[in-house]
Amino acid sequence: MAALLAKLLPLGLILLMFVVGLRLRPAALRGVLGRPKALATGLVVQLLALPVVALLLGTLFGLTGPMLLGLVLVAAAPGGVTSNYIAHLAKAELALSAAMTLVTTALASITIPLVLGLSGLGEISGASGLTKLSMIMLVVAVAPMALGMGLATWKPRWAEVILAGLEPVAKLVFAAMVLATFIQNWGPMQANLGTVGPAVVLLNLAALGLAFAAGQGMRLTTPDRRAIMVEASLQNVAVALFVAGAVLGQPAASVPALIYAMMMNLSALVQIMAGRRDPAVTTA
């Protein structure tokens, strides 16, 4: 079952990103760069604040060794690829969400070793594995999104027809991915929920709180604030798992990431429902 999910997951992500691209326009991404305050606010929350909060929470709950390492790894991971589709469902600013995902993914091979080095939790002597993984994530995220954007720009009528057909399929795929995450990670979650679980839950809630507070403090629009909340709370768990097992050789450090995968999907569903209850808010 796990092997089958591993093979189908990239296909599901590609489909979701293609649907996201059909809803995006190049002008929207350029607009994000034209108003850098929102992008800078989101990146500060995700790249700087979250790792610090994870380290503080781990210390507060007395975590040591692999559990502390795994918690910080989750916070240092880039934004999850599905965050863009969730941002769309939550009526967040889709262009800002996409920009944050692309930037954090591109910088992952630099920021993760830096966070681990500064925290004293682990040292990555060579980042070739991380660089390769970052490139794979960029291909999974950028290529289908760019294809969707291109189709929507040059053949808008075709794009509308395709979007109408794929939108229900994409929602079913997303629901299946969430359900599969719960089923696959149920065992590790039960076994370790009492030890590292509270810190993981608080990390996800802190991500939401920090993003909301930063958005309010910088007087961002509601869609911008929602986008930062989605990006900050949804981390690329696959990266954390890869670094813990393949790069650092500490598979036990994967446990916080497995539990976080459960928690972030729950918070994502809450954010989607909150966005759906506000019909007045639209994205660019």
Side-chain angles (χ1 to χ4, degrees):
M1 180 66 173
L4 179 61
L5 289 175
K7 292 179 180 179
L8 294 179
L9 182 60
L11 297 177
L13 294 178
I14 288 172
L15 173 63
L16 295 185
M17 294 309 297
F18 179 66
V19 171
V20 167
L22 290 174
R23 289 188 171 275
L24 268 178
R25 299 294 183 273
L29 287 177
R30 290 196 298 268
V32 171
L33 299 178
R35 47 186 182 88
K37 183 172 70 171
L39 180 59
T41 300
L43 293 178
V44 167
V45 170
Q46 189 160 11
L47 296 179
L48 297 180
L50 281 188
V52 173
V53 170
L55 193 58
L56 291 175
L57 285 173
T59 303
L60 178 65
F61 282 91
L63 301 180
T64 58
M67 294 301 103
L68 180 59
L69 170 61
L71 188 68
V72 174
L73 269 179
V74 169
V81 178
T82 56
S83 61
N84 304 141
Y85 187 69
I86 292 169
H88 155 59
L89 295 179
K91 294 188 177 180
E93 177 54 64
L94 186 54
L96 176 59
S97 174
M100 286 186 62
T101 298
L102 294 179
V103 171
T104 56
T105 300
L107 295 178
S109 61
I110 299 174
T111 56
I112 292 179
L114 185 61
V115 167
L116 294 181
L118 291 176
S119 64
L121 293 175
E123 182 178 351
I124 300 178
S125 57
S128 59
L130 282 176
T131 302
K132 180 180 179 180
L133 185 63
S134 295
M135 293 301 102
I136 293 174
M137 290 188 298
L138 280 173
V139 169
V140 172
V142 176
M145 183 190 297
L147 180 60
M149 288 176 61
L151 185 61
T153 300
W154 297 107
K155 297 291 183 180
R157 292 185 179 180
W158 289 10
E160 290 178 4
V161 174
I162 294 174
L163 183 61
L166 285 184
E167 188 84 69
V169 177
K171 290 180 180 179
L172 288 175
V173 169
F174 172 68
M177 290 169 63
V178 173
L179 181 61
T181 300
F182 273 82
I183 294 174
Q184 191 173 9
N185 299 329
W186 184 250
M189 187 196 75
Q190 284 185 309
N192 298 276
L193 195 59
T195 53
V196 70
V200 172
V201 171
L202 284 180
L203 177 62
N204 186 259
L205 295 178
L208 291 169
L210 284 171
F212 179 84
Q216 288 286 84
M218 297 301 292
R219 298 182 179 179
L220 300 180
T221 65
T222 298
D224 280 348
R225 188 177 66 245
R226 284 180 177 170
I228 295 174
M229 291 175 68
V230 168
E231 286 295 319
S233 60
L234 271 83
Q235 300 295 84
N236 197 318
V237 171
V239 174
L241 296 175
F242 172 80
V243 175
V247 179
L248 297 177
Q250 297 195 48
S254 300
V255 170
L258 293 173
I259 299 176
Y260 194 88
M262 310 280 286
M263 182 61 194
M264 74 178 190
N265 281 316
L266 283 175
S267 67
L269 292 175
V270 172
Q271 292 179 80
I272 290 171
M273 289 187 290
R276 290 297 175 183
R277 285 201 301 265
D278 188 359
V281 176
T282 58
T283 61

